[in-house]
């Protein structure tokens, strides 16, 4: 996770949660996002996301992951 080239955030409504990951690098990257325990508990994210979430994001693109 390069904080100078990657931006991620969570959005949720009711029982639906999304992780949005943006890649501001020209090249495709595999990005790993750790969701802190306090955040998982507050948002109600399933325990299977206690492990880091990995995704591949194209250059200058974003991925939306339904959790």
């Amino acid at each position: 996770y390069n904080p100078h080239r990657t931006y991620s955030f969570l959005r949720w409504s009711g029982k639906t949660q999304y992780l949005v990951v943006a890649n501001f690098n020209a090249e495709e990257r595999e990005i790993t996002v750790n969701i802190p325990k306090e955040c998982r508990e507050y948002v109600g994210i399933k325990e299977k996301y206690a492990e880091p979430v990995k995704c591949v994001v194209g250059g200058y693109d974003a991925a939306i992951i339904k959790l």
Side-chain angles (χ1 to χ4, degrees):
Y1 192 99
N2 178 347
H4 301 290
R5 298 284 184 184
T6 308
Y7 182 72
S8 61
F9 61 93
L10 291 169
R11 288 285 184 244
W12 67 95
S13 177
K15 293 184 177 184
T16 305
Q17 302 98 7
Y18 296 96
L19 172 64
V20 180
V21 182
N23 176 16
F24 295 104
N25 195 322
E27 297 156 9
E28 179 178 275
R29 296 282 188 227
E30 180 176 322
I31 300 170
T32 302
V33 179
N34 294 306
I35 303 173
K37 180 181 177 184
E38 296 81 6
C39 184
R40 292 192 314 270
E41 290 173 354
Y42 182 78
V43 177
I45 295 173
K46 298 174 184 132
E47 192 59 35
K48 72 178 184 176
Y49 293 106
E51 297 296 320
V53 178
K54 292 183 180 184
C55 62
V56 177
V57 184
Y60 300 120
D61 202 0
I64 300 173
I65 305 158
K66 185 175 181 181
L67 301 176

